[in-house]
Amino acid sequence: MAEERGMTQFALASELLKLGLDLVKEGYEPQQVRELLTFYRIMSELEIVPIPGRLLDKMITDMYRLDSKIMEQLWCEAGKMLSGYIKALFGDLKEVAALVPYLAKILPSKRFSVKVDEEKVIIDIVGIGYGLESVQVNAVAAKCLLEEFGYQIEKVITAPGVLKIEASRRKLQRKGGGE
């Protein structure tokens, strides 16, 4: 690996050690760095483009007022796409939920909480956009994502900047009533 970079193993190890020490000085734990790198990989692979929150919120609000159905359809598709990616990379929501504490530090929200167990998911976000339209499309994206994982939405609470969703695992129903 070092040779591929035109370095000796000692030089590569020294560079990695210096980077690690710099990150520890900044207050990062090794697990945080791993998870941040995973988050970066996800952003790169999904071609996520950072955009100022107020600009994104204004774009969503303006487009939502023009055609709310199209905006909700687009965000639902985004939720489904993200669910497919999560399934491929992590397997289930519980695995990706470990990233949430670190995402909360990166994303422009005041509170970002996702609790996942075998039967229930609770998403609680404060500071998600500035207007109700942004919250509405994010609620649709979350709903579609959760449905792809087999959850049924029980409760959705939206207000400007606030989103709370509770969902339960769908019960499998037998066809034909047989044993």
Side-chain angles (χ1 to χ4, degrees):
M1 191 179 295
E3 292 86 23
E4 293 171 10
R5 291 176 168 71
M7 304 170 83
T8 65
Q9 288 182 348
F10 179 78
L12 179 59
S14 177
E15 189 172 312
L16 291 172
L17 182 59
K18 182 183 179 318
L19 174 62
L21 291 172
D22 288 345
L23 290 168
V24 169
K25 284 179 192 172
E26 291 290 324
Y28 291 97
E29 295 295 324
Q31 187 59 29
Q32 275 182 295
V33 174
R34 282 186 193 92
E35 289 166 346
L36 287 170
L37 289 172
T38 300
F39 178 66
Y40 174 78
R41 186 172 109 206
I42 292 168
M43 289 188 62
S44 297
E45 289 176 355
L46 292 178
E47 299 177 4
I48 295 172
V49 179
I51 184 169
R54 290 192 186 274
L55 174 60
L56 179 61
D57 194 76
K58 174 116 176 74
M59 290 168 48
I60 290 170
T61 299
D62 291 350
M63 292 302 297
Y64 194 88
R65 288 179 182 159
L66 288 174
D67 194 335
S68 61
K69 289 193 185 307
I70 291 290
M71 285 298 287
E72 289 178 0
Q73 180 183 357
L74 288 170
W75 284 79
C76 181
E77 289 172 13
K80 289 178 179 179
M81 178 186 74
L82 185 56
S83 74
Y85 185 83
I86 290 169
K87 287 175 185 177
L89 190 63
F90 297 97
D92 63 23
L93 284 177
K94 203 168 196 173
E95 292 295 317
V96 79
L99 288 175
V100 170
Y102 307 110
L103 292 176
K105 292 178 183 175
I106 296 169
L107 300 173
S109 60
K110 309 293 182 263
R111 180 174 66 224
F112 191 98
S113 168
V114 178
K115 296 176 184 156
V116 179
D117 64 36
E118 295 302 317
E119 297 302 318
K120 195 166 186 79
V121 173
I122 299 172
I123 299 173
D124 188 13
I125 307 171
V126 175
I128 183 169
Y130 300 95
L132 188 56
E133 297 86 355
S134 291
V135 177
Q136 293 291 98
V137 296
N138 278 289
V140 169
K143 176 182 177 288
C144 292
L145 180 143
L146 292 172
E147 287 173 349
E148 290 292 307
F149 279 96
Y151 289 91
Q152 180 175 329
I153 307 306
E154 302 291 331
K155 184 194 305 186
V156 177
I157 298 171
T158 59
V162 177
L163 173 60
K164 183 170 185 173
I165 297 177
E166 294 181 14
S168 298
R169 178 77 65 188
R170 271 190 229 119
K171 305 289 185 219
L172 295 176
Q173 296 189 5
R174 296 182 192 172
K175 292 183 180 179
E179 293 182 49

